[in-house]
Amino acid sequence: MKAGGELAVDVSSTLRRRVVSLERARKVAILALESERVKNAMISIVFVSSRKIALMNSKYLRKNRPTDVIAFGFGAGSKGGAVVGDIYICPDVARKNAAEENVSLREELDRLVVHGILHVLGYDHPESERRLSSRMWKKQEAILGRTS
């Protein structure tokens, strides 16, 4: 990391078929980090299959089903240290969510990138419908509004 700070975001996919622009996901992640005034970050975003995310969800969150996004935040090691995190996103689940919410797949994937970044930064929300009125959700939607 540079002394003045750097936002290092690596985006990859384990899927055979590309359903998302990796560069767009990177730009959305950087926008979310900048919106939160993060100066130093090392973030990895990986697009994975329903099977892979279901295995992760079971192992780490004890939920036996696929989910849309799982994020692991490792925090800043010291004052001014880099925020470090891994984000896993499942486009198959995102596609179902997008259809249910009547939004484009691109918008839903952008939402999941922002959502994952906020989780890495320590934000959380209730599991119930109350999540839609949580501080995290409002912040997420405000950032998403700037992702044209």
Side-chain angles (χ1 to χ4, degrees), residues 11 18-27 47 109-110:
V11 183
R18 182 76 42 92
V19 296
V20 61
S21 162
L22 302 183
E23 184 56 28
R24 178 167 178 84
R26 184 179 175 284
K27 288 178 179 177
F47 291 92
L109 290 170
D110 286 354

Side-chain angles (χ1 to χ4, degrees), residues 50-51 53-54 57 63-68 90 93:
S50 293
R51 178 176 154 74
I53 210 155
N57 205 18
K63 297 178 182 174
N64 293 315
R65 60 179 166 77
T67 189
D68 49 8
C90 180
V93 176

Side-chain angles (χ1 to χ4, degrees), residues 11-22 45-54 67-68 88-95 105 109:
V11 183
S12 62
S13 177
T14 63
L15 305 171
R16 291 179 208 247
R17 198 178 65 152
R18 182 76 42 92
V19 296
V20 61
S21 162
L22 302 183
I45 300 171
V46 184
F47 291 92
V48 298
S49 68
S50 293
R51 178 176 154 74
K52 174 69 174 172
I53 210 155
T67 189
D68 49 8
Y88 298 88
I89 297 172
C90 180
D92 289 340
V93 176
R95 186 176 289 106
L105 177 58
L109 290 170

Side-chain angles (χ1 to χ4, degrees), residues 55-112:
L55 289 170
M56 293 176 72
N57 205 18
S58 176
K59 180 176 182 176
Y60 297 109
L61 301 174
R62 308 265 188 260
K63 297 178 182 174
N64 293 315
R65 60 179 166 77
T67 189
D68 49 8
V69 61
I70 295 177
F72 301 97
F74 306 108
S78 62
K79 186 169 173 79
V83 171
V84 179
D86 294 333
I87 301 167
Y88 298 88
I89 297 172
C90 180
D92 289 340
V93 176
R95 186 176 289 106
K96 291 175 189 168
N97 293 349
E100 288 173 10
E101 297 299 322
N102 200 28
V103 299
S104 70
L105 177 58
R106 181 176 123 169
E107 179 181 333
E108 187 63 15
L109 290 170
D110 286 354
R111 178 174 284 107
L112 294 176

